[in-house]
């Protein structure tokens, strides 16, 4: 393990032990990817069709002025997404929180810093990936997104995925995983599996949300394993 990686693992709060009798080995990774086709996203058909024809600037404008669900009443601003539109990795979270609502960018604050450290640990700068959420507006008091809100908003994320065509999607947190993959399987059981996003062949790997990891630092090592698993799938071409 090189020094740089060791530094990032340290930044994530993961203790690193190196056996003295042999070189450091890769942590065990999950078995071969299990492709699992999941049902597609559901959006109102006419709006979905229209959204699916938008280019980046038009999509950004559409989201910025969206009043499609009740969340537009309480937001400060929409949080479209950030990063490289040609990214190989796409990170998808749940919804903006208070900091994101204020700054207009996903994953800022302490959770954002931890996400950056997690990405660095697998050799990725934040600017290299694309980061977005299931919902583009903050739910009041950070409550869970409601099904009708997801239904109304997910066409935007779907179009972002279509435009980026990432080699892998990392779903961070239970809400993101459930809504991306249309399942209610527990996050713990979804870890270490390779799913497919909607009707595409884009692999999806799930891991814990950085906000959860801040509350449960003992789980950081599992997140590290998930990231390595995702990196392996990405390197193998899905
Ligand atoms: S959450 Fe999505 S659908 Fe609802 S107002 Fe915001 S951008 Fe529109």
């Amino acid at each position: 393990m090189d020094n740089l990686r060791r530094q990032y693992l340290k930044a994530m709060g993961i203790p690193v032990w190196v056996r003295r009798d042999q070189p450091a080995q890769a942590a065990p990774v999950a078995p071969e990817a299990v492709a699992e086709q999941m049902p597609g996203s559901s959006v109102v058909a006419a709006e979905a069709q229209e959204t699916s024809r938008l280019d980046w600037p038009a999509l950004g404008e559409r989201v910025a002025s969206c009043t499609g669900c009740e969340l537009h009443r309480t937001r400060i601003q929409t949080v479209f997404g950030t990063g490289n539109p040609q990214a190989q990795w796409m990170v998808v979270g749940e919804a903006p929180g208070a900091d994101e609502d204020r700054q207009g960018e996903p994953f800022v604050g302490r959770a954002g810093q931890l996400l950056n450290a997690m990405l660095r640990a697998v050799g990725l700068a934040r600017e290299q990936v694309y980061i977005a959420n299931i919902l583009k507006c903050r739910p009041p008091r950070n409550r869970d997104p409601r099904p009708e809100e997801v239904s109304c908003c997910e066409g935007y994320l779907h179009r972002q995925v279509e435009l980026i065509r990432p080699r892998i999607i990392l779903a961070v947190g239970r809400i993101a995983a459930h809504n991306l993959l249309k399942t209610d399987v527990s996050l713990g059981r979804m870890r270490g599996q390779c799913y497919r996003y909607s009707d595409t062949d884009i692999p999806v790997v799930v891991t814990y949300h950085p906000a959860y990891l801040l509350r449960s630092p003992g789980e950081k090592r599992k997140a590290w394993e998930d990231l390595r698993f995702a990196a392996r799938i990405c390197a193998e071409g899905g």
Side-chain angles (χ1 to χ4, degrees), residues 63 66-69 71-72 75 135-137 152-153 156:
V63 169
C66 181
T67 55
C69 78
L71 296 181
H72 80 276
R75 73 185 178 214
L135 290 186
K136 310 304 187 199
C137 301
C152 197
C153 202
Y156 298 138

Side-chain angles (χ1 to χ4, degrees), residues 16-234:
V16 178
W17 293 282
V18 178
R19 285 178 58 165
R20 291 184 185 172
D21 56 344
Q22 65 180 50
Q25 297 290 312
V29 291
E32 282 304 306
V34 180
E36 189 168 325
Q37 197 70 33
M38 303 301 291
S41 304
S42 64
V43 289
V44 179
E47 286 185 9
Q49 263 199 354
E50 201 189 346
T51 301
S52 71
R53 287 193 287 267
L54 298 176
D55 61 13
W56 259 141
L59 185 63
E61 285 167 22
R62 178 68 58 87
V63 169
S65 60
C66 181
T67 55
C69 78
E70 286 300 302
L71 296 181
H72 80 276
R73 299 184 189 284
T74 47
R75 73 185 178 214
I76 295 173
Q77 59 189 312
T78 55
V79 180
F80 180 70
T82 188
N84 180 358
Q86 273 103 43
Q88 293 190 353
W89 282 59
M90 188 165 178
V91 176
V92 177
E94 170 183 338
D99 290 336
E100 288 80 8
D101 192 30
R102 264 193 300 272
Q103 297 184 38
E105 184 170 330
F107 286 94
V108 294
R110 286 180 66 221
Q113 285 167 14
L114 180 54
L115 176 66
N116 295 349
M118 290 163 68
L119 292 171
R120 287 277 184 197
V122 287
L124 292 165
R126 180 180 171 99
E127 301 71 40
Q128 284 177 274
V129 308
Y130 196 89
I131 305 173
N133 283 313
I134 300 280
L135 290 186
K136 310 304 187 199
C137 301
R138 182 192 179 202
R141 296 174 302 284
N142 296 345
R143 63 158 169 75
D144 287 355
R146 292 180 176 145
E148 64 273 20
E149 293 159 356
V150 173
S151 195
C152 197
C153 202
E154 64 187 354
Y156 298 138
L157 179 67
H158 195 72
R159 184 60 181 152
Q160 287 175 305
V161 173
E162 278 181 342
L163 289 168
I164 295 168
R165 293 292 307 171
R167 289 178 68 160
I168 190 149
I169 296 174
L170 184 70
V172 294
R174 172 182 59 88
I175 301 283
H178 284 180
N179 285 292
L180 268 184
L181 299 172
K182 307 301 175 197
T183 181
D184 58 3
V185 175
S186 73
L187 190 138
R189 281 182 52 210
M190 296 180 82
R191 288 186 55 247
Q193 307 287 325
C194 179
Y195 296 87
R196 302 285 160 179
Y197 173 66
S198 186
D199 53 356
T200 75
D201 60 357
I202 300 169
V204 180
V205 168
V206 308
T207 191
Y208 297 106
H209 195 286
Y212 168 76
L213 295 173
L214 288 170
R215 296 191 300 272
S216 308
E219 304 285 48
K220 286 180 181 175
R221 181 162 289 279
K222 291 184 185 168
W224 163 235
E225 288 168 8
D226 297 336
L227 284 161
R228 295 192 62 163
F229 178 55
R232 191 179 122 200
I233 288 174
C234 187

Side-chain angles (χ1 to χ4, degrees), residues 1-12:
M1 181 179 300
D2 59 41
N3 281 338
L4 191 60
R5 186 146 306 174
R6 207 183 301 256
Q7 276 175 20
Y8 288 126
L9 287 177
K10 199 172 163 200
M12 285 175 66

